[in-house]
Amino acid sequence: MKILLASLLILLHCSVYSAEIKKRAVIRDENYNAKIEEVELPNLTSIDSYEGKYFKIVNGKDNKAIRFDDSEDLQLKAATTYYHINKARKFFTDVVKSKYVQDLPQITVRVDLINVFNEVGHFANDNLDPQFNNALTVPAGNGYEPKGIKPWGIEVWFRPSKEINIKDFKGAVDGVGLKQSLVNFRNQTHMANLQSFITSILLGNTGTGGGISNSNDMRLVESSIMIEVIYQSSDIAAEFFSRKIYRLDAALVPEIIYHEFSHAALSDHLELSHSTPVNEGLADYFAGKIANSRKLAMKINDYNLFNGKQVRKKQQYQMAFERGEYANTDFVFGLLWNVGATVGTDIETNFVYRMTSILTTNVSIRDDLINATLQTCKDVCKSPLNDRIKLYKLYNSKNF
Ligand SMILES: [Zn+2]
């Protein structure tokens, strides 16, 4: 009885404290602009650090959570990631009712980590190809006892920002130099949308783009909706000084946080070790839904490459989108967004989530993804026959 009482008191103690803790974080206002505001941190279990029931935010390779008396810069990243990743989790448990997410053990979130991921060693050597301006979600690992490397669970990593002068790429305009710097950049950006964004700037400006772009500004808009939205609305997190310098503080961008957690939430069927157009497009789709903003939805309707109202040259399906250099996650994102609108906004997130249960890691857009939507429609659509006809029409119009 005494023990019971004591633990009850501790429980009460914790919940009282956690209900009161507010911190400054980057959020979006009604107009979708980024601003810093005090928010309440949900599900905290610590009274002096960013550790909660579902997430622990740490600095770099640390194991202990970032503390409430750490530097303001670090705390802004900790509070922003903590607040938004809890919001993303809540979407998956409450809206699409994911049992898998409900049962996920506590996830460690690392900010300001520059190390490359290593499947055996967890972190690659500090000096090996340090990473900036991006984020990724890494699979759990067994560790390696002889070297004292402990097992770890799924983790979300955010890299520090670092200014990159676009000139550094353009200096090497001809052939090998440019190609190599692009490859290096792609390796650093993980998120395919960022890759296509930066690639479009560079290729567009140098005129070696092989007909990808007519007008630079247009191409910027078309290259990635998510990035365009970030560009237009987050002076805090992403700065493009006259678009000559590029830097991105991924831990301060709510949509990137949603995107990364979506990878974790879908990892029962889509492995974290592979980045494909389908799983990146799905992560963007759920990021867009978690953001739950009318303003964002309007931008996506206007600018998605699939059938955006403001997009001059809408894209038809091409085999080259499936993988490799021309893999196109924006196309998949636009496709999913339109499938959602076709089956009905009241069931769409459920529909897309149900569909992921019949997908596997290396599925193709043309056969597997399309078939999965038709299959899911049989079970979930309000009028399965009519809605499938609508989906067929949508796909036909895109050269599938
Ligand atoms: Zn991703």
Side-chain angles (χ1 to χ4, degrees):
M1 187 62 189
K2 226 177 189 172
I3 295 168
L4 196 75
L5 251 177
S7 46
L8 199 69
L9 275 174
I10 290 168
L11 264 175
L12 278 171
H13 189 73
C14 286
S15 60
V16 166
Y17 269 96
S18 57
E20 281 170 355
I21 289 175
K22 285 189 166 184
K23 289 285 174 187
R24 282 156 49 82
V26 178
I27 56 138
R28 299 264 185 229
D29 65 15
E30 315 78 64
N31 289 321
Y32 214 67
N33 295 315
K35 63 176 184 182
I36 298 177
E37 212 170 68
E38 280 215 328
V39 295
E40 198 176 305
L41 301 180
N43 310 311
L44 276 178
T45 53
S46 166
I47 55 164
D48 55 13
S49 70
Y50 293 87
E51 172 150 24
K53 216 169 151 184
Y54 309 116
F55 302 97
K56 175 171 74 169
I57 319 294
V58 306
N59 182 14
K61 292 189 277 185
D62 283 359
N63 277 322
K64 283 212 175 111
I66 292 167
R67 294 176 52 85
F68 295 160
D69 55 8
D70 275 321
S71 79
E72 277 199 21
D73 267 16
L74 191 59
Q75 282 202 63
L76 184 64
K77 292 178 189 178
T80 303
T81 50
Y82 186 88
Y83 175 76
H84 290 288
I85 205 163
N86 270 283
K87 181 176 162 184
R89 183 187 179 277
K90 197 168 158 56
F91 175 90
F92 279 98
T93 55
D94 295 11
V95 179
V96 298
K97 310 245 179 324
S98 164
K99 175 98 175 54
Y100 178 69
V101 171
Q102 188 76 52
D103 295 342
L104 278 177
Q106 188 198 50
I107 288 178
T108 298
V109 177
R110 300 183 184 278
V111 300
D112 283 355
L113 180 72
I114 57 166
N115 301 70
V116 172
F117 175 65
N118 183 295
E119 277 177 13
V120 179
H122 197 181
F123 309 110
N125 190 292
D126 287 359
N127 303 322
L128 185 87
D129 193 17
Q131 301 286 301
F132 301 93
N133 302 325
N134 69 46
L136 81 159
T137 302
V138 305
N142 298 326
Y144 187 58
E145 199 65 57
K147 291 245 169 178
I149 296 157
K150 298 214 172 76
W152 66 89
I154 291 173
E155 296 187 348
V156 183
W157 293 6
F158 294 92
R159 277 58 169 86
S161 68
K162 183 186 174 190
E163 286 186 358
I164 293 176
N165 197 321
I166 300 300
K167 269 196 197 144
D168 292 346
F169 293 102
K170 285 200 292 178
V173 168
D174 6 272
V176 187
L178 177 65
K179 213 165 179 192
Q180 192 51 48
S181 48
L182 281 177
V183 169
N184 290 344
F185 196 87
R186 287 177 71 113
N187 289 341
Q188 292 214 355
T189 46
H190 172 71
M191 281 180 302
N193 283 346
L194 283 174
Q195 294 166 10
S196 63
F197 168 74
I198 204 79
T199 307
S200 69
I201 295 181
L202 300 172
L203 295 184
N205 281 348
T206 57
T208 55
I212 299 177
S213 85
N214 307 320
S215 132
N216 236 355
D217 290 340
M218 203 56 211
R219 188 57 213 169
L220 274 176
V221 174
E222 288 179 343
S223 60
S224 165
I225 303 148
M226 281 306 192
I227 279 300
E228 184 60 18
V229 167
I230 291 165
Y231 167 71
Q232 287 185 359
S233 48
S234 47
D235 32 11
I236 301 164
E239 290 175 19
F240 302 78
F241 302 109
S242 20
R243 305 196 172 184
K244 286 194 177 111
I245 289 171
Y246 168 84
R247 82 178 184 93
L248 183 71
D249 228 327
L252 299 181
V253 182
E255 297 72 31
I256 296 180
I257 301 167
Y258 305 151
H259 174 106
E260 292 306 327
F261 183 77
S262 298
H263 278 310
L266 301 175
S267 64
D268 49 348
H269 296 286
L270 303 166
E271 285 170 49
L272 291 169
S273 47
H274 289 68
S275 174
T276 68
V278 172
N279 66 28
E280 294 301 334
L282 277 163
D284 272 351
Y285 173 83
F286 283 110
K289 291 298 167 186
I290 296 164
N292 191 24
S293 153
R294 244 166 38 106
K295 201 92 190 219
L296 174 64
M298 269 163 53
K299 283 175 196 275
I300 294 170
N301 288 338
D302 280 351
Y303 293 117
N304 80 80
L305 287 178
F306 197 81
N307 65 357
K309 296 186 195 85
Q310 306 275 354
V311 177
R312 254 182 254 158
K313 194 168 168 256
K314 297 170 186 54
Q315 285 188 335
Q316 296 288 101
Y317 170 80
Q318 295 166 32
M319 278 292 272
F321 290 171
E322 298 286 357
R323 41 187 53 88
E325 240 176 292
Y326 295 99
N328 193 320
T329 64
D330 259 6
F331 185 81
V332 176
F333 179 41
L335 183 148
L336 291 168
W337 203 262
N338 279 282
V339 167
T342 304
V343 299
T345 43
D346 48 337
I347 63 160
E348 64 173 316
T349 48
N350 238 323
F351 178 96
V352 176
Y353 184 70
R354 281 269 304 255
M355 180 190 73
T356 61
S357 68
I358 50 174
L359 296 177
T360 54
T361 306
N362 283 311
V363 294
S364 67
I365 305 168
R366 173 173 230 155
D367 298 317
D368 307 321
L369 183 65
I370 296 299
N371 280 336
T373 63
L374 296 167
Q375 179 88 33
T376 308
C377 193
K378 273 188 198 165
D379 306 330
V380 182
C381 282
K382 282 167 289 184
S383 43
L385 187 62
N386 273 334
D387 290 347
R388 266 185 298 153
I389 291 170
K390 283 187 204 160
L391 288 176
Y392 275 118
K393 278 189 184 158
L394 184 70
Y395 301 145
N396 271 332
S397 73
K398 287 292 147 187
N399 205 22
F400 274 109

